[in-house]
Amino acid sequence: MLGWVLKPLAVASTVVISTLGLLSRKYQRARLYYHLGLYLSTLGAASAWGVLITIVATLTGKRFNINYYVARSFYTVCSPLIGIKVDVEGEEHLSGLVRARGGKGQSAVLVGNHQSLLDVLYLGRILPKRASIMAKKELKWTPLLGQFMALSGAVFVDRKNRTAAVDALEKAGEEMKRKGVSLWVFPEGTRSSTPDPILLPFKKGAFHLAVKAQVPIIPVVTENYHRLFDGKTRMEEGSLKIRVLPPVSTQGLTADDVTALTESTRESMLVALREISQPGPDGDKTAKVRAIEARSSTPEETEPARVEPESRQASVEPVGSEGGKSRSSEDGTEDEMDEDAVLLKRPREPKAESDP
């Protein structure tokens, strides 16, 4: 009986994909649908594949490398399918984490700029071994992806519970150092997809975590790829440049240094972003982009209501906010997550687990 349902679906899918593949040679919109379909299908398959890898890696004592194995598998398959290759400069700063402390691994907080769902592709290329994934708890119920993340040891955070988030921030640092696990964070808190290389203001949660744990921060900068994928009209073939900056030490720093650390890290990433990004296809900056950039450069002196783009007004809501009004905790650990997941602060205290 199941065959009667699956066979027609398989035939229909093959026809649709084949047709889009032919049309994509001539029409930009067809290329968007064709490449995006391949991308999302591969992502789903990688999640299912991840369940098998999770079982094998857990049995062989490699549980902390599950995300690395699945990430590389996804990139290896997806990159040639959609024709986007990722070139990495400074990768030794990431690979060196595994070799530190006599092979036991060096913990670090990895921070990267966030543009769109295509970021998963570059994470597939550069996510190092022993890297932990943090995500909002809603993702736990996403078919395939949620099950894989749960089995691979991912932790889920309730972004509405500020008390738990602040408490988890302290526990995260201890667990990072004990297990030699690194954490990935998008400090902008939400996506900043524009035709021009900009960074939104950084949230301080990742930097509080690094200072608390006294572990280095490793900035990872991906060029502005609006020329390849804008989420609406194009998904073209090409190359993406990534620059991994040298580790930023937090030894001896305290909570009083977090603001300066956040600003200096953002500034170094912005310089690198402008250096490696190619001109976009849409010409000069629009008024909205100028407004975002002005807000990014002076986040504390500019009133958000005067410069906030329409696309951000409805989507950005800091952790712990109520009724659209943001609140900051006493220790400044606010952070925000958007709907496509991402790798932010530690959740409530996980169950005790021995280090494999």
Side-chain angles (χ1 to χ4, degrees), residues 23 82 99 119 131-132 136 202 204 239 252 280 288 307 331 351:
L23 293 174
I82 64 175
R99 297 190 296 269
D119 291 344
S132 181
K136 60 182 183 180
F202 280 6
K204 298 178 184 178
S239 296
K288 286 186 178 181
V307 299
D331 60 356
K351 295 181 179 179

Side-chain angles (χ1 to χ4, degrees), residues 97-165:
L97 294 173
V98 180
R99 297 190 296 269
R101 299 198 308 165
K104 294 182 179 180
Q106 165 68 55
S107 300
V109 174
L110 314 176
V111 294
N113 53 317
H114 186 24
Q115 299 178 59
S116 74
L117 59 84
L118 193 62
D119 291 344
V120 180
L121 182 69
Y122 88 70
L123 282 174
R125 171 63 180 83
I126 67 169
L127 191 71
K129 292 181 178 180
R130 303 185 70 83
S132 181
I133 295 179
M134 308 293 164
K136 60 182 183 180
K137 73 172 186 177
E138 288 84 354
L139 285 175
K140 188 175 184 179
W141 312 112
T142 303
L144 296 179
L145 179 62
Q147 288 71 52
F148 156 66
M149 293 178 69
L151 291 172
S152 66
V155 287
F156 301 92
V157 60
D158 184 354
R159 57 183 178 177
K160 297 180 181 179
N161 191 330
R162 177 175 295 279
T163 301

Side-chain angles (χ1 to χ4, degrees), residues 1-184:
M1 179 64 70
L2 187 60
W4 287 98
V5 177
L6 295 180
K7 188 174 181 179
L9 288 176
V11 172
S13 299
T14 302
V15 171
V16 171
I17 292 176
S18 299
T19 302
L20 282 174
L22 292 173
L23 293 174
S24 68
R25 300 176 182 178
K26 185 177 181 180
Y27 300 104
Q28 178 176 297
R29 180 75 66 171
R31 285 195 297 276
L32 168 66
Y33 295 141
Y34 178 60
H35 287 150
L36 191 57
L38 291 175
Y39 183 80
L40 295 176
S41 298
T42 307
L43 187 59
S47 298
W49 169 243
V51 175
L52 177 60
I53 291 183
T54 297
I55 296 173
V56 175
T58 300
L59 292 176
T60 57
K62 301 292 184 180
R63 184 169 180 267
F64 289 111
N65 289 333
I66 290 173
N67 292 315
Y68 169 82
Y69 296 140
V70 177
R72 289 301 188 275
S73 297
F74 171 68
Y75 177 78
T76 300
V77 174
C78 189
S79 175
L81 283 178
I82 64 175
I84 297 179
K85 179 183 178 182
V86 177
D87 298 318
V88 185
E89 173 188 340
E91 193 168 8
E92 66 273 9
H93 299 310
L94 295 176
S95 57
L97 294 173
V98 180
R99 297 190 296 269
R101 299 198 308 165
K104 294 182 179 180
Q106 165 68 55
S107 300
V109 174
L110 314 176
V111 294
N113 53 317
H114 186 24
Q115 299 178 59
S116 74
L117 59 84
L118 193 62
D119 291 344
V120 180
L121 182 69
Y122 88 70
L123 282 174
R125 171 63 180 83
I126 67 169
L127 191 71
K129 292 181 178 180
R130 303 185 70 83
S132 181
I133 295 179
M134 308 293 164
K136 60 182 183 180
K137 73 172 186 177
E138 288 84 354
L139 285 175
K140 188 175 184 179
W141 312 112
T142 303
L144 296 179
L145 179 62
Q147 288 71 52
F148 156 66
M149 293 178 69
L151 291 172
S152 66
V155 287
F156 301 92
V157 60
D158 184 354
R159 57 183 178 177
K160 297 180 181 179
N161 191 330
R162 177 175 295 279
T163 301
V166 172
D167 183 60
L169 196 60
E170 298 181 0
K171 295 182 176 64
E174 299 173 1
E175 187 174 343
M176 284 173 59
K177 297 185 72 172
R178 181 170 62 87
K179 295 184 176 181
V181 175
S182 297
L183 303 178
W184 183 278

